[in-house]
Amino acid sequence: MDAHKQLTIGLFGFGVVGEGLYKVLQQTPSLKASIKKVCIKNPGKKREAPASLFTTNKEELLFDNDINVIVEVIDDANAAFEIVSIALRNGKAVVSASKKMIAEHLPEILQLQQETGLPFLCESAACASIPVIRNLEEYYDNDLLHSIKAIVNGSTNFILTKMFEDKLSFQDALILAQQLGFAESNPKLDVEGYDALNKWTILLNHAYGIVEHPDNILFTGIQNIQLSDAVVAKEKNFDIKLIAQAKKLKNGKVAAFVLPQFVKTDEPLSFVKNEYNGVVIESGFADKQFFYGKGAGSFPTASAVLSDIAALRYNYKYEYKKLYHHTPHELTNDFFLKVYVSFDDWKYIPRENFEWIEEWHADADRKYLVGVLHVNHLTNGTWWKENGVSLILTTEPVIDNLDIINLKKRSLELAGIV
Ligand SMILES: NC(=O)C1=CN([C@@H]2O[C@H](COP(=O)(O)OP(=O)(O)OC[C@H]3O[C@@H](n4cnc5c(N)ncnc54)[C@H](OP(=O)(O)O)[C@@H]3O)[C@@H](O)[C@H]2O)C=CC1
Ligand SMILES: N[C@@H](CC=O)C(=O)O
């Protein structure tokens, strides 16, 4: 496609994102991109666009020779995968916002791009308005990317802000996130961490060349966080955020997870409130960089879709350099985490799993400890998200396998044992 070519779009979905894109395109005539047809699910719904634009027959878009771009922004991951596959096989460039679909079908999506040579762009699928995918693709050399730490879900960040700063109840904050168009159609995807996990699966691919099914990455959401945890956090000058993190270990492998975490109040991610997202990248020479922007909502998400559409004019494609041109990194579950765990009764806590416990506190109704355990005790067990147990990572949670030997030796020395 050249810069002067007319882009004729077949749009799937006219909800929060689809309608946002329709409006944004009307305000950017210079792009020379127009929507020819919109495929939706429920023909009875009232729409703020001419009725002649809509259809429920996907073939009217997928087999129309005038349509050279399919934009897929629907909330059904299975249907989305079918649409995207047919579109690419029919010679159409694709822009998609469906992170669940992309994360669950990453190998197939990569294969389809290789087979067809066509662009598949999905900037809006991770951190909405923040251009994080293109930055990870284009800017960072594989070897220099030490770590990424990010808030990638707008709804949970919105709920935590509203609960702990504006004193709203969890339920009221969630309803507000839904009304504002931040939450997924099934809000469990946000609250229980699935959406952040899907985004992290996509970003791990662009950052490190990792192709991993989301089922194999440690995660949870904000569903177990208690008000008493927020009290402890405040006492220690921390915020609680749902954080996606990836860190290159000394053996070159990558530790990655999505878990609630304490964040120091003077750190950039603490400054990220409401539906905003933030990404802190640490690389060899640039040191720390911080990206900040709206991570959910109609226009912020549509802006990223628009940017992908614009990039199609110059035939932009992801090269997946970290996957195809370097040796891709491997994920590892061989590391330790320093965690805060709060609970009602010691009987729910397998104390023998901990390498050491360095702090504990017991009130009549709620208790907590801070200790270090091997990540396998979390990946192979469910005790840490059941029976009212709440697990929150400490501010510097990852302890390298190699460091633990030295730390243990040092504590024995201090105790006068060796
Ligand atoms: N909301 C946000 O802030 C963001 C959302 N996303 C992602 O974008 C996608 C859309 O989200 P959002 O706009 O919020 O969702 P909405 O629920 O607001 O809209 C979903 C749209 O998809 C349509 N749809 C569902 N199934 C089909 C199908 N089989 N064929 C055609 N159309 C279908 C619905 O049709 P109908 O109108 O007839 O019901 C509706 O128009 C999701 O994958 C979401 O994860 C990504 C980034 C941010
Ligand atoms: N539900 C998502 C929407 C954007 O990706 C979120 O809250 O971040």
Side-chain angles (χ1 to χ4, degrees):
M1 261 174 232
D2 66 63
H4 304 290
K5 188 166 178 176
Q6 175 73 33
L7 300 178
T8 305
I9 297 169
L11 173 63
F12 281 85
F14 202 76
V16 171
V17 183
E19 188 173 354
L21 178 68
Y22 174 75
K23 289 179 179 160
V24 161
L25 274 172
Q26 284 181 322
Q27 291 171 44
T28 42
S30 59
L31 189 60
K32 289 214 269 176
S34 60
I35 297 175
K36 181 167 182 194
K37 209 80 195 167
V38 182
C39 181
I40 38 78
K41 193 173 174 185
N42 301 294
K45 272 193 195 167
K46 199 172 165 313
R47 319 267 174 189
E48 279 186 43
S52 58
L53 203 57
F54 295 95
T55 178
T56 53
N57 178 6
K58 61 178 184 289
E59 300 192 352
E60 280 185 42
L61 284 66
L62 293 170
F63 298 111
D64 182 331
N65 289 332
D66 292 344
I67 290 178
N68 48 12
V69 179
I70 291 293
V71 175
E72 176 282 302
V73 289
I74 70 172
D75 60 345
D76 174 337
N78 294 331
F81 181 59
E82 200 195 345
I83 289 161
V84 162
S85 308
I86 298 174
L88 287 168
R89 291 215 168 91
N90 273 292
K92 301 184 192 309
V94 171
V95 174
S96 169
S98 298
K99 52 261 163 141
K100 184 172 189 295
M101 178 274 287
I102 302 167
E104 288 174 355
H105 292 280
L106 192 52
E108 295 106 305
I109 297 277
L110 290 166
Q111 180 69 30
L112 276 164
Q113 287 168 82
Q114 289 224 293
E115 274 170 29
T116 62
L118 286 163
F120 171 86
L121 304 182
C122 59
E123 191 60 73
S124 60
C127 301
S129 75
I130 308 178
V132 64
I133 294 182
R134 250 186 272 172
N135 264 296
L136 289 171
E137 272 289 315
E138 303 305 327
Y139 192 80
Y140 298 95
D141 187 280
N142 200 20
D143 294 332
L144 298 180
L145 204 58
H146 293 332
S147 70
I148 321 177
K149 190 170 167 182
I151 292 170
V152 296
N153 182 269
S155 299
T156 45
N157 204 50
F158 181 86
I159 292 169
L160 290 174
T161 309
K162 292 294 171 220
M163 279 173 71
F164 297 146
E165 295 192 11
D166 301 347
K167 309 296 172 213
L168 253 61
S169 70
F170 174 88
Q171 210 47 44
D172 286 349
L174 172 59
I175 289 169
L176 205 49
Q178 289 176 301
Q179 286 168 346
L180 292 166
F182 306 151
E184 297 300 302
S185 308
N186 174 4
K188 179 181 158 175
L189 293 177
D190 295 298
V191 171
E192 298 188 11
Y194 294 95
D195 180 74
L197 171 71
N198 290 332
K199 289 166 176 166
W200 208 230
T201 305
I202 297 170
L203 291 181
L204 285 172
N205 179 239
H206 291 281
Y208 291 110
I210 289 167
V211 182
E212 192 65 71
H213 195 278
D215 286 353
N216 301 328
I217 300 171
L218 176 66
F219 83 103
T220 194
I222 62 167
Q223 69 275 23
N224 297 322
I225 297 175
Q226 312 279 320
L227 280 174
S228 64
D229 299 331
V231 173
V232 175
K234 206 172 165 66
E235 277 166 15
K236 294 175 182 281
N237 244 346
F238 298 152
D239 280 323
I240 303 172
K241 300 283 187 187
L242 183 62
I243 300 282
Q245 193 164 353
K247 185 172 174 169
K248 213 150 67 162
L249 301 180
K250 288 183 176 142
N251 62 9
K253 294 187 181 174
V254 175
F257 43 82
V258 177
L259 293 167
Q261 188 166 339
F262 288 135
V263 175
K264 290 184 192 148
T265 48
D266 58 357
E267 268 193 50
L269 289 179
S270 164
F271 172 71
V272 178
K273 310 273 186 199
N274 293 312
E275 78 274 27
Y276 279 83
N277 285 183
V279 184
V280 175
I281 290 178
E282 254 187 271
S283 64
F285 300 120
D287 205 354
K288 275 193 187 177
Q289 290 161 306
F290 176 47
F291 300 80
Y292 172 75
K294 285 195 172 170
S298 185
F299 283 179
T301 310
S303 78
V305 177
L306 184 77
S307 173
D308 279 350
I309 294 171
L312 290 176
R313 282 179 314 166
Y314 53 89
N315 243 335
Y316 177 74
K317 292 184 224 174
Y318 302 139
E319 282 182 70
Y320 299 98
K321 294 188 195 73
K322 325 289 171 63
L323 178 60
Y324 299 131
H325 304 169
H326 296 265
T327 308
H329 278 90
E330 254 181 74
L331 273 191
T332 179
N333 269 342
D334 196 10
F335 60 96
F336 292 79
L337 285 172
K338 192 193 270 195
V339 301
Y340 156 101
V341 185
S342 75
F343 48 93
D344 296 328
D345 196 314
W346 281 102
K347 71 180 179 203
Y348 300 126
I349 307 300
R351 271 177 279 184
E352 67 285 0
N353 285 355
F354 285 81
E355 295 298 310
W356 67 80
I357 292 174
E358 61 188 41
E359 190 184 336
W360 64 272
H361 180 92
D363 269 347
D365 49 347
R366 197 76 184 159
K367 300 152 187 61
Y368 73 79
L369 63 82
V370 176
V372 172
L373 42 60
H374 195 277
V375 76
N376 281 342
H377 293 302
L378 301 181
T379 49
N380 299 336
T382 49
W383 60 268
W384 55 280
K385 41 187 176 179
E386 288 169 350
N387 297 309
V389 175
S390 160
L391 179 138
I392 300 174
L393 295 182
T394 55
T395 55
E396 298 293 337
V398 178
I399 304 180
D400 211 299
N401 209 359
L402 295 173
D403 290 335
I404 203 105
I405 298 163
N406 293 334
L407 282 168
K408 271 187 180 171
K409 189 162 163 273
R410 173 127 181 79
S411 65
L412 290 175
E413 278 166 7
L414 287 171
I417 295 170
V418 292

